[in-house]
Amino acid sequence: MSEELLHGPIHDTHVALGATFAPFGGWTMPVSYAGTVSEHTSTRTTAGLFDVSHLGKAVVTGPGAAAYVDSVLTNSLDRIGPGQAQYTLCCTESGGVVDDLIAYLVSDDEVFLVPNAANTAAVVEVLAAGAPDGVTVRSAHREYGVFAVQGPRSAEVLAAVGLPSSLEYMAFEDVDFEHGSVRVCRTGYTGEHGYELLPQWDTATPLFDALLAAVRAVGGEPAGLGARDTLRTEMGYPLHGHELSVDITPLEARCGWAVGWKKEAFRGRDALLAQKEAGAPRTLVGLRAVGRGVLRPELSVLRSGETVGVTTSGTFSPSTKVGIALALLDTSAGVAVGDSVDVDVRGRALACEVVRPPFVEPNVR
């Protein structure tokens, strides 16, 4: 018998907005409202409002909590200070990726983590297993909602509802909203200027309603996971289970920049250092269709009739009007940016150009 899917804090609001739904990471999530292309375009041109409350939340507290987290996760927390956030990875000892996540450094004694929905329990388990005396690791998955306001007019949206909009990129601030406290962070997953807001679960609805009114006032609209996926694919941003997994290392996924190579300790350090020295056996690249066709995940990539890799994500790009994909290619095949390859789309060879993402120019700063 399948496990019952979870609902976010504003599920009834999505129903009232006419959203279509699909299961994702154990949750029932809105896929679209007016349509993926419309929501994608709105986010690129004005503003889109996303409910991503399925994302995990975990809290690590106690004396030396930040130092402990730093000894487990790949990135270096000493690169940032309190009030800043950081993209990082939780790896296996063999160098695979348990999850990629955002770490909010609250203080030396508190780190707030936002992992992916399906991997929250695994991340908490890894951190809890080695926690020193006095350091507590707990899941707060259903204590906070997560809303993302993304797009070139997103700062206007936050200002309209009385939330801080002048934060530096990857900085956050805890503020009081009319109905409760909200953590506001200058982060996102779309490549656009934007913010992610974490209200308390039980008071999330009034914040979403206020944000939606402000988004619509600047010509934007609510957006679902369909647009979130096309937006992040255009940026080349990895999605765990596609470009990252326990079988795909940060080096293969071109996420080596999120590894603190000079750190004395982090989970998977020895394996990743060995792979860095030897060279990753696979490399993540972008593919842009030359002919007409839509690329999907798990399609064979061929060069001169020989399989040299597999697509990990694929979609039609609303911004460029062509099929695009991310793919892991065998390093030994010697395929380089600018080369031509074929993708086997249901038995038809679709010609593609190898490119280095992003497929469109980002505007995150």
Side-chain angles (χ1 to χ4, degrees):
M1 186 174 181
S2 61
E3 185 177 352
E4 184 178 355
L5 294 171
L6 301 171
H7 288 174
I10 61 165
H11 180 75
D12 291 345
T13 299
H14 297 309
V15 172
L17 289 170
T20 57
F21 296 89
F24 187 84
W27 295 71
T28 297
M29 296 301 299
V31 174
S32 68
Y33 306 84
T36 293
V37 172
S38 174
E39 295 159 22
H40 177 112
T41 303
S42 176
T43 304
R44 287 272 184 254
T45 58
T46 54
L49 173 60
F50 301 79
D51 174 18
V52 286
S53 297
H54 65 300
L55 290 173
K57 305 95 189 172
V59 185
V60 185
T61 55
Y68 169 61
V69 170
D70 192 55
S71 74
V72 177
L73 304 185
T74 61
N75 214 334
S76 298
L77 275 176
D78 62 7
R79 294 175 178 172
I80 63 173
Q84 293 180 297
Q86 182 183 74
Y87 179 82
T88 188
L89 305 156
C90 176
C91 285
T92 66
E93 292 293 359
S94 59
V97 180
V98 176
D99 201 18
D100 61 331
L101 59 157
I102 301 292
Y104 291 73
L105 181 59
V106 180
S107 70
D108 289 344
D109 299 333
E110 182 177 350
V111 181
F112 185 85
L113 304 173
V114 179
N116 287 289
N119 301 328
T120 302
V123 171
V124 170
E125 182 179 359
V126 166
L127 288 166
D133 291 343
V135 173
T136 300
V137 183
R138 68 175 182 86
S139 173
H141 204 152
R142 302 187 74 175
E143 294 179 25
Y144 303 90
V146 186
F147 303 142
V149 181
Q150 303 283 297
R153 301 190 67 176
S154 56
E156 295 176 54
V157 173
L158 262 70
V161 300
L163 294 176
S165 59
S166 59
L167 296 169
E168 295 292 326
Y169 185 59
M170 296 300 282
F172 70 91
E173 184 177 340
D174 294 328
V175 298
D176 290 327
F177 187 65
E178 182 181 359
H179 298 278
S181 62
V182 182
R183 177 160 288 165
V184 181
C185 192
R186 265 280 287 115
T187 52
Y189 195 48
T190 65
E192 295 295 331
H193 185 102
Y195 307 82
E196 291 179 316
L197 317 173
L198 289 96
Q200 296 169 351
W201 187 277
D202 294 337
T203 59
T205 298
L207 176 60
F208 187 87
D209 290 345
L211 290 170
L212 181 57
V215 163
R216 283 175 164 165
V218 299
E221 58 184 293
L225 290 191
R228 184 173 168 86
D229 192 58
T230 56
L231 289 158
R232 71 93 190 169
T233 303
E234 287 186 347
M235 288 298 108
Y237 292 160
L239 175 64
H240 195 274
H242 292 254
E243 290 72 43
L244 294 167
S245 75
V246 293
D247 299 316
I248 304 172
T249 71
L251 286 166
E252 292 174 313
R254 291 188 184 274
C255 290
W257 59 269
V259 178
W261 296 107
K262 296 181 179 180
K263 286 169 54 172
E264 294 184 359
F266 61 86
R267 204 161 184 258
R269 178 179 181 272
D270 291 346
L272 288 174
L273 283 172
Q275 186 177 85
K276 184 181 182 185
E277 183 176 350
R282 300 177 293 179
T283 303
L284 189 71
V285 302
L287 301 179
R288 180 187 292 116
V290 176
R292 295 184 63 182
V294 179
L295 298 167
R296 298 298 183 199
E298 300 182 4
L299 300 178
S300 295
V301 181
L302 303 102
R303 189 185 197 192
S304 301
E306 297 293 326
T307 300
V308 295
V310 62
T311 59
T312 53
S313 294
T315 189
F316 174 79
S317 164
S319 299
T320 65
K321 312 300 183 191
V322 298
I324 61 172
L326 301 174
L328 278 171
L329 302 187
D330 297 335
T331 306
S332 61
V335 180
V337 169
D339 287 351
S340 296
V341 295
D342 292 320
V343 177
D344 184 350
V345 182
R346 297 181 180 179
R348 180 174 72 90
L350 177 60
C352 295
E353 178 189 4
V354 178
V355 301
R356 183 152 188 173
F359 296 92
V360 299
E361 196 66 29
N363 185 34
V364 295
R365 303 283 178 170

Short mmCIF file of all heavy atoms in Angstrom, two decimals, residues 181-231:
data_model
loop_
_atom_site.label_atom_id
_atom_site.label_comp_id
_atom_site.label_asym_id
_atom_site.label_seq_id
_atom_site.Cartn_x
_atom_site.Cartn_y
_atom_site.Cartn_z
N SER A 181 6.65 35.61 12.65
CA SER A 181 8.01 35.86 12.20
C SER A 181 8.27 35.20 10.85
O SER A 181 7.66 34.18 10.51
CB SER A 181 9.01 35.36 13.23
OG SER A 181 8.90 33.97 13.41
N VAL A 182 9.18 35.80 10.07
CA VAL A 182 9.53 35.30 8.74
C VAL A 182 11.04 35.42 8.57
O VAL A 182 11.63 36.45 8.89
CB VAL A 182 8.84 36.11 7.62
CG1 VAL A 182 9.19 35.51 6.25
CG2 VAL A 182 7.34 36.15 7.81
N ARG A 183 11.66 34.37 8.06
CA ARG A 183 13.07 34.44 7.67
C ARG A 183 13.10 34.77 6.18
O ARG A 183 12.55 34.04 5.35
CB ARG A 183 13.77 33.12 7.95
CG ARG A 183 15.23 33.08 7.51
CD ARG A 183 16.00 31.99 8.23
NE ARG A 183 16.22 32.38 9.63
CZ ARG A 183 16.61 31.53 10.59
NH1 ARG A 183 16.82 30.26 10.30
NH2 ARG A 183 16.79 31.96 11.83
N VAL A 184 13.75 35.88 5.83
CA VAL A 184 13.81 36.36 4.45
C VAL A 184 15.24 36.19 3.96
O VAL A 184 16.17 36.70 4.57
CB VAL A 184 13.40 37.84 4.35
CG1 VAL A 184 13.46 38.32 2.89
CG2 VAL A 184 12.01 38.05 4.93
N CYS A 185 15.42 35.48 2.84
CA CYS A 185 16.75 35.24 2.32
C CYS A 185 16.81 35.57 0.83
O CYS A 185 15.87 35.30 0.10
CB CYS A 185 17.16 33.79 2.54
SG CYS A 185 18.92 33.47 2.24
N ARG A 186 17.92 36.16 0.40
CA ARG A 186 18.12 36.51 -1.01
C ARG A 186 18.69 35.31 -1.77
O ARG A 186 19.86 35.29 -2.16
CB ARG A 186 19.07 37.71 -1.12
CG ARG A 186 18.37 39.03 -1.21
CD ARG A 186 17.86 39.36 -2.60
NE ARG A 186 18.98 39.70 -3.47
CZ ARG A 186 19.33 38.97 -4.53
NH1 ARG A 186 18.66 37.89 -4.85
NH2 ARG A 186 20.35 39.33 -5.26
N THR A 187 17.86 34.30 -1.90
CA THR A 187 18.27 33.09 -2.60
C THR A 187 17.20 32.72 -3.61
O THR A 187 16.15 33.37 -3.71
CB THR A 187 18.46 31.92 -1.62
OG1 THR A 187 17.28 31.79 -0.81
CG2 THR A 187 19.65 32.16 -0.72
N GLY A 188 17.45 31.68 -4.36
CA GLY A 188 16.46 31.22 -5.33
C GLY A 188 17.02 30.12 -6.20
O GLY A 188 18.19 29.76 -6.11
N TYR A 189 16.16 29.61 -7.10
CA TYR A 189 16.49 28.43 -7.90
C TYR A 189 16.07 28.65 -9.35
O TYR A 189 15.77 27.71 -10.06
CB TYR A 189 15.74 27.23 -7.30
CG TYR A 189 16.18 25.85 -7.73
CD1 TYR A 189 17.52 25.48 -7.72
CD2 TYR A 189 15.24 24.90 -8.08
CE1 TYR A 189 17.91 24.19 -8.09
CE2 TYR A 189 15.61 23.61 -8.45
CZ TYR A 189 16.94 23.27 -8.44
OH TYR A 189 17.32 21.98 -8.80
N THR A 190 16.04 29.94 -9.76
CA THR A 190 15.54 30.27 -11.08
C THR A 190 16.55 31.03 -11.94
O THR A 190 16.34 31.16 -13.14
CB THR A 190 14.27 31.15 -10.98
OG1 THR A 190 14.62 32.42 -10.39
CG2 THR A 190 13.20 30.48 -10.14
N GLY A 191 17.58 31.58 -11.34
CA GLY A 191 18.52 32.41 -12.07
C GLY A 191 18.11 33.87 -12.12
O GLY A 191 18.80 34.69 -12.72
N GLU A 192 17.01 34.20 -11.47
CA GLU A 192 16.53 35.58 -11.41
C GLU A 192 16.78 36.18 -10.03
O GLU A 192 16.95 35.45 -9.05
CB GLU A 192 15.03 35.63 -11.73
CG GLU A 192 14.67 35.21 -13.14
CD GLU A 192 15.22 36.12 -14.21
OE1 GLU A 192 15.42 37.33 -13.93
OE2 GLU A 192 15.47 35.64 -15.33
N HIS A 193 16.79 37.51 -9.97
CA HIS A 193 16.80 38.19 -8.68
C HIS A 193 15.59 37.68 -7.90
O HIS A 193 14.48 37.63 -8.42
CB HIS A 193 16.67 39.70 -8.89
CG HIS A 193 16.78 40.50 -7.63
ND1 HIS A 193 17.94 41.18 -7.29
CD2 HIS A 193 15.90 40.73 -6.64
CE1 HIS A 193 17.75 41.79 -6.13
NE2 HIS A 193 16.52 41.53 -5.72
N GLY A 194 15.81 37.29 -6.65
CA GLY A 194 14.67 36.73 -5.93
C GLY A 194 14.94 36.49 -4.46
O GLY A 194 16.05 36.75 -3.95
N TYR A 195 13.93 35.99 -3.81
CA TYR A 195 13.94 35.80 -2.35
C TYR A 195 13.23 34.49 -2.02
O TYR A 195 12.30 34.07 -2.70
CB TYR A 195 13.20 36.94 -1.65
CG TYR A 195 13.67 38.31 -2.04
CD1 TYR A 195 13.21 38.91 -3.22
CD2 TYR A 195 14.60 39.01 -1.27
CE1 TYR A 195 13.66 40.17 -3.61
CE2 TYR A 195 15.05 40.26 -1.65
CZ TYR A 195 14.58 40.84 -2.82
OH TYR A 195 15.03 42.08 -3.20
N GLU A 196 13.68 33.89 -0.92
CA GLU A 196 12.96 32.76 -0.34
C GLU A 196 12.57 33.14 1.08
O GLU A 196 13.39 33.64 1.85
CB GLU A 196 13.82 31.50 -0.39
CG GLU A 196 14.00 31.02 -1.83
CD GLU A 196 14.87 29.79 -1.95
OE1 GLU A 196 15.93 29.72 -1.30
OE2 GLU A 196 14.50 28.90 -2.73
N LEU A 197 11.31 32.90 1.41
CA LEU A 197 10.74 33.32 2.68
C LEU A 197 10.29 32.10 3.46
O LEU A 197 9.63 31.21 2.92
CB LEU A 197 9.54 34.24 2.43
CG LEU A 197 9.71 35.31 1.35
CD1 LEU A 197 8.40 36.04 1.11
CD2 LEU A 197 10.78 36.29 1.74
N LEU A 198 10.64 32.07 4.73
CA LEU A 198 10.26 30.95 5.59
C LEU A 198 9.38 31.45 6.73
O LEU A 198 9.88 31.88 7.77
CB LEU A 198 11.50 30.27 6.15
CG LEU A 198 12.33 29.47 5.15
CD1 LEU A 198 13.48 30.31 4.61
CD2 LEU A 198 12.86 28.19 5.77
N PRO A 199 8.06 31.40 6.53
CA PRO A 199 7.14 31.74 7.62
C PRO A 199 6.90 30.53 8.51
O PRO A 199 7.22 29.39 8.13
CB PRO A 199 5.86 32.13 6.87
CG PRO A 199 5.88 31.21 5.68
CD PRO A 199 7.34 31.06 5.29
N GLN A 200 6.34 30.75 9.67
CA GLN A 200 5.91 29.64 10.49
C GLN A 200 4.77 28.91 9.78
O GLN A 200 3.94 29.51 9.10
CB GLN A 200 5.45 30.16 11.86
CG GLN A 200 6.58 30.81 12.65
CD GLN A 200 6.07 31.55 13.87
OE1 GLN A 200 4.88 31.74 14.06
NE2 GLN A 200 6.99 32.00 14.70
N TRP A 201 4.76 27.59 9.90
CA TRP A 201 3.80 26.74 9.17
C TRP A 201 2.36 27.20 9.39
O TRP A 201 1.58 27.33 8.44
CB TRP A 201 3.99 25.30 9.64
CG TRP A 201 3.20 24.27 8.89
CD1 TRP A 201 1.90 23.91 9.10
CD2 TRP A 201 3.66 23.46 7.80
NE1 TRP A 201 1.52 22.92 8.22
CE2 TRP A 201 2.59 22.63 7.42
CE3 TRP A 201 4.88 23.35 7.13
CZ2 TRP A 201 2.71 21.68 6.39
CZ3 TRP A 201 4.99 22.41 6.11
CH2 TRP A 201 3.91 21.61 5.75
N ASP A 202 2.02 27.46 10.63
CA ASP A 202 0.62 27.77 10.96
C ASP A 202 0.18 29.17 10.56
O ASP A 202 -1.01 29.47 10.59
CB ASP A 202 0.38 27.57 12.47
CG ASP A 202 0.52 26.11 12.88
OD1 ASP A 202 0.37 25.23 12.00
OD2 ASP A 202 0.81 25.85 14.06
N THR A 203 1.14 30.03 10.21
CA THR A 203 0.78 31.39 9.82
C THR A 203 1.22 31.69 8.38
O THR A 203 1.39 32.85 8.00
CB THR A 203 1.41 32.42 10.78
OG1 THR A 203 2.84 32.26 10.77
CG2 THR A 203 0.89 32.22 12.20
N ALA A 204 1.37 30.64 7.59
CA ALA A 204 1.87 30.81 6.22
C ALA A 204 0.83 31.41 5.28
O ALA A 204 1.18 32.15 4.37
CB ALA A 204 2.35 29.46 5.67
N THR A 205 -0.44 31.09 5.49
CA THR A 205 -1.47 31.51 4.54
C THR A 205 -1.57 33.03 4.38
O THR A 205 -1.61 33.53 3.25
CB THR A 205 -2.83 30.93 4.94
OG1 THR A 205 -2.75 29.49 4.89
CG2 THR A 205 -3.93 31.38 3.97
N PRO A 206 -1.62 33.82 5.46
CA PRO A 206 -1.70 35.28 5.28
C PRO A 206 -0.52 35.85 4.52
O PRO A 206 -0.69 36.79 3.72
CB PRO A 206 -1.76 35.81 6.72
CG PRO A 206 -2.23 34.67 7.55
CD PRO A 206 -1.69 33.46 6.90
N LEU A 207 0.68 35.31 4.73
CA LEU A 207 1.84 35.79 4.00
C LEU A 207 1.72 35.48 2.51
O LEU A 207 1.98 36.34 1.66
CB LEU A 207 3.13 35.18 4.56
CG LEU A 207 4.42 35.55 3.81
CD1 LEU A 207 4.64 37.05 3.82
CD2 LEU A 207 5.62 34.81 4.39
N PHE A 208 1.32 34.26 2.18
CA PHE A 208 1.17 33.90 0.77
C PHE A 208 0.12 34.78 0.10
O PHE A 208 0.32 35.25 -1.03
CB PHE A 208 0.78 32.43 0.63
CG PHE A 208 0.76 31.95 -0.81
CD1 PHE A 208 1.90 31.47 -1.41
CD2 PHE A 208 -0.41 31.99 -1.55
CE1 PHE A 208 1.89 31.04 -2.73
CE2 PHE A 208 -0.44 31.57 -2.87
CZ PHE A 208 0.71 31.08 -3.46
N ASP A 209 -0.99 35.02 0.79
CA ASP A 209 -2.05 35.87 0.22
C ASP A 209 -1.54 37.28 -0.06
O ASP A 209 -1.83 37.86 -1.12
CB ASP A 209 -3.25 35.92 1.17
CG ASP A 209 -4.00 34.59 1.26
OD1 ASP A 209 -3.77 33.73 0.39
OD2 ASP A 209 -4.80 34.43 2.21
N ALA A 210 -0.77 37.83 0.87
CA ALA A 210 -0.24 39.18 0.69
C ALA A 210 0.77 39.21 -0.45
O ALA A 210 0.78 40.13 -1.28
CB ALA A 210 0.42 39.66 1.99
N LEU A 211 1.62 38.19 -0.54
CA LEU A 211 2.60 38.12 -1.61
C LEU A 211 1.92 37.96 -2.97
O LEU A 211 2.32 38.60 -3.96
CB LEU A 211 3.55 36.95 -1.38
CG LEU A 211 4.53 37.09 -0.22
CD1 LEU A 211 5.23 35.76 0.05
CD2 LEU A 211 5.57 38.17 -0.49
N LEU A 212 0.88 37.14 -3.02
CA LEU A 212 0.19 36.92 -4.29
C LEU A 212 -0.44 38.21 -4.81
O LEU A 212 -0.35 38.52 -6.00
CB LEU A 212 -0.88 35.84 -4.13
CG LEU A 212 -1.67 35.48 -5.39
CD1 LEU A 212 -0.75 35.05 -6.52
CD2 LEU A 212 -2.68 34.39 -5.08
N ALA A 213 -1.04 38.99 -3.91
CA ALA A 213 -1.63 40.26 -4.33
C ALA A 213 -0.56 41.21 -4.87
O ALA A 213 -0.75 41.88 -5.88
CB ALA A 213 -2.37 40.90 -3.16
N ALA A 214 0.60 41.23 -4.20
CA ALA A 214 1.69 42.11 -4.63
C ALA A 214 2.31 41.63 -5.94
O ALA A 214 2.71 42.44 -6.79
CB ALA A 214 2.75 42.20 -3.53
N VAL A 215 2.42 40.31 -6.12
CA VAL A 215 2.95 39.75 -7.36
C VAL A 215 2.04 40.10 -8.52
O VAL A 215 2.49 40.52 -9.60
CB VAL A 215 3.14 38.22 -7.23
CG1 VAL A 215 3.29 37.57 -8.60
CG2 VAL A 215 4.35 37.91 -6.37
N ARG A 216 0.76 39.94 -8.33
CA ARG A 216 -0.20 40.25 -9.39
C ARG A 216 -0.19 41.75 -9.71
O ARG A 216 -0.40 42.14 -10.86
CB ARG A 216 -1.59 39.78 -8.99
CG ARG A 216 -1.76 38.26 -9.13
CD ARG A 216 -3.09 37.78 -8.63
NE ARG A 216 -3.39 36.42 -9.10
CZ ARG A 216 -4.34 35.64 -8.58
NH1 ARG A 216 -5.08 36.09 -7.57
NH2 ARG A 216 -4.54 34.43 -9.08
N ALA A 217 0.08 42.57 -8.71
CA ALA A 217 0.09 44.02 -8.93
C ALA A 217 1.22 44.46 -9.86
O ALA A 217 1.12 45.50 -10.51
CB ALA A 217 0.21 44.75 -7.59
N VAL A 218 2.30 43.66 -9.94
CA VAL A 218 3.40 44.01 -10.85
C VAL A 218 3.33 43.20 -12.15
O VAL A 218 4.27 43.22 -12.96
CB VAL A 218 4.78 43.80 -10.18
CG1 VAL A 218 4.91 44.70 -8.96
CG2 VAL A 218 5.03 42.34 -9.83
N GLY A 219 2.23 42.48 -12.34
CA GLY A 219 2.04 41.72 -13.57
C GLY A 219 2.50 40.29 -13.51
O GLY A 219 2.55 39.61 -14.54
N GLY A 220 2.82 39.80 -12.31
CA GLY A 220 3.27 38.42 -12.16
C GLY A 220 2.14 37.47 -11.82
O GLY A 220 0.96 37.86 -11.81
N GLU A 221 2.48 36.24 -11.50
CA GLU A 221 1.46 35.23 -11.22
C GLU A 221 2.05 34.11 -10.38
O GLU A 221 3.27 33.98 -10.27
CB GLU A 221 0.90 34.67 -12.53
CG GLU A 221 1.94 34.05 -13.45
CD GLU A 221 1.32 33.61 -14.77
OE1 GLU A 221 0.52 32.67 -14.76
OE2 GLU A 221 1.65 34.22 -15.81
N PRO A 222 1.18 33.29 -9.77
CA PRO A 222 1.69 32.12 -9.04
C PRO A 222 2.30 31.14 -10.04
O PRO A 222 1.86 31.05 -11.19
CB PRO A 222 0.44 31.55 -8.37
CG PRO A 222 -0.70 32.01 -9.22
CD PRO A 222 -0.29 33.36 -9.74
N ALA A 223 3.30 30.41 -9.59
CA ALA A 223 4.00 29.47 -10.46
C ALA A 223 4.19 28.14 -9.74
O ALA A 223 4.41 28.10 -8.53
CB ALA A 223 5.35 30.05 -10.90
N GLY A 224 4.14 27.06 -10.51
CA GLY A 224 4.25 25.73 -9.93
C GLY A 224 5.58 25.07 -10.22
O GLY A 224 6.51 25.67 -10.77
N LEU A 225 5.66 23.78 -9.88
CA LEU A 225 6.91 23.05 -10.03
C LEU A 225 7.30 22.85 -11.49
O LEU A 225 8.47 22.64 -11.80
CB LEU A 225 6.81 21.69 -9.33
CG LEU A 225 6.78 21.69 -7.80
CD1 LEU A 225 6.96 20.28 -7.28
CD2 LEU A 225 7.85 22.61 -7.22
N GLY A 226 6.33 22.91 -12.41
CA GLY A 226 6.66 22.81 -13.82
C GLY A 226 7.56 23.93 -14.26
O GLY A 226 8.61 23.72 -14.89
N ALA A 227 7.19 25.17 -13.93
CA ALA A 227 8.01 26.33 -14.27
C ALA A 227 9.31 26.33 -13.48
O ALA A 227 10.37 26.71 -13.99
CB ALA A 227 7.24 27.62 -14.03
N ARG A 228 9.26 25.90 -12.25
CA ARG A 228 10.48 25.83 -11.43
C ARG A 228 11.51 24.93 -12.11
O ARG A 228 12.70 25.22 -12.13
CB ARG A 228 10.12 25.31 -10.04
CG ARG A 228 11.29 25.27 -9.04
CD ARG A 228 10.76 24.89 -7.66
NE ARG A 228 11.81 24.57 -6.72
CZ ARG A 228 12.45 25.46 -5.96
NH1 ARG A 228 12.16 26.74 -6.09
NH2 ARG A 228 13.36 25.07 -5.10
N ASP A 229 11.04 23.83 -12.72
CA ASP A 229 11.96 22.91 -13.36
C ASP A 229 12.52 23.47 -14.67
O ASP A 229 13.72 23.34 -14.94
CB ASP A 229 11.27 21.57 -13.63
CG ASP A 229 12.26 20.50 -14.04
OD1 ASP A 229 13.20 20.22 -13.26
OD2 ASP A 229 12.11 19.94 -15.15
N THR A 230 11.68 24.11 -15.48
CA THR A 230 12.20 24.69 -16.73
C THR A 230 13.16 25.84 -16.44
O THR A 230 14.17 26.01 -17.12
CB THR A 230 11.07 25.17 -17.65
OG1 THR A 230 10.24 26.12 -16.95
CG2 THR A 230 10.20 24.00 -18.11
N LEU A 231 12.86 26.62 -15.41
CA LEU A 231 13.72 27.74 -15.04
C LEU A 231 15.09 27.26 -14.56
O LEU A 231 16.13 27.76 -15.00
CB LEU A 231 13.05 28.59 -13.96
CG LEU A 231 11.83 29.41 -14.41
CD1 LEU A 231 10.94 29.74 -13.22
CD2 LEU A 231 12.27 30.68 -15.13
#
